[in-house]
Amino acid sequence: MKKFDKERVLLAVAGPVIALAVAFVLSAIVLVASDKNPVEPFALMFEQAGYSDVQVLILNQASMYYIAALAVAIGFRMNLFNIGVDGQYQLGAMMAAIVGAHASLPAFLQVPLLLLTAVCTGAFWAGIAGVLKVTRGVSEVVATIMLNAIATSLIVYMWKPDVFGVKIGNNSTTGEMHESGWIPGIDLGAAGEIYGLVVLAVLLGIGYWVVLNRTRFGFDLRASGASSSAAAASGVDPRRMVLTAMLLSGAIAGLAGLPILLGDSHTYNLNFPTGIGFLGIGIALLGRNSPVGIVFASLLWAWLDKASPELDFHGYDKEIAVIMQGLIVLSVVVSYEAVREWGLRRQQRRVGAELAAGHVLGANNTTKEVAGR
């Protein structure tokens, strides 16, 4: 491996490692300040990761986190901050649940219909922010935040019994979906069942890498994110790329809730997971928008979620995991900036050394020419 490649790998790894180390240290300080053992909570959570049932829970949760983080990462690649992934994900899941409860087709038609419903819903909701940005210059951050609030109100409206809602006790649901839309998982016996749509997360990760690194569209997307003016000079329409990126980000966000919807709950109700879109932002940052990096970040986040309940049985607050997640996000921002500055200084020193070497070589050649005359 070339020296330059080694430095790139080092810079890519240094940020997440520093962020995690800082987050662990700061979490330990919080525990010490609370008169708690700073090591035992982490030991207990690591112990939980060794149990097969917890591993299944972690994998299932990580699949949802991964899809949400990919949606965020697409926006980041285009220098867009799609903070509305949570609203797009929830609306996509709810519309898929409604269609699944009211349409009854053979499985080979029902499942694609539900996937398409989630994709189109997420893309439509994100597309609103994209259109506002390219036509009126509205910040996608402001637009998607407001669209999240509208999505929440829209979901509450659709839960009304005279719309699409079905009351089961005190729980508002969309009614149980027809079995032809259920996707069976991998049964591991006492350990539980891995969602069948974990495979979807894997396929999306592969597709994300291929599109960004092996297609003209991916090159245009990254070029537009790096410099819209330079991309425009090369013939790329930045406005079209902004709208396309938002549509694509929303389409993937719409799929984030389907692993649990089609593999477990089979309805959209008050107990359906929320906040996954916001967690996807931190996961995408920690994974540096890389499909492989996001895998490890998703597993880490899911581990913190699923292993922390054990802390309640040992006198520790499980919220230490939430604190740690927040500290990771803060540490990521600081550590990446520090690593970037360090990389720039190394690059400047290397260029300076090469220029100095070139100057000395040129002076030596001139001396030889003069001596030869």
Side-chain angles (χ1 to χ4, degrees), residues 52-62 191 193 195 302 306:
S52 58
D53 57 337
V54 177
Q55 291 170 0
V56 170
L57 293 174
I58 290 173
L59 186 59
N60 287 338
Q61 191 75 6
E193 186 176 88
Y195 296 153
K306 299 306 180 182

Side-chain angles (χ1 to χ4, degrees), residues 56-57 60 183-196 263-264 266:
V56 170
L57 293 174
N60 287 338
I183 295 183
I186 304 172
D187 189 3
L188 299 180
E193 186 176 88
I194 297 175
Y195 296 153
D264 184 20
H266 309 305

Side-chain angles (χ1 to χ4, degrees), residues 42 66 184 188 358 370:
F42 302 115
Y66 186 76
L188 299 180
V370 172

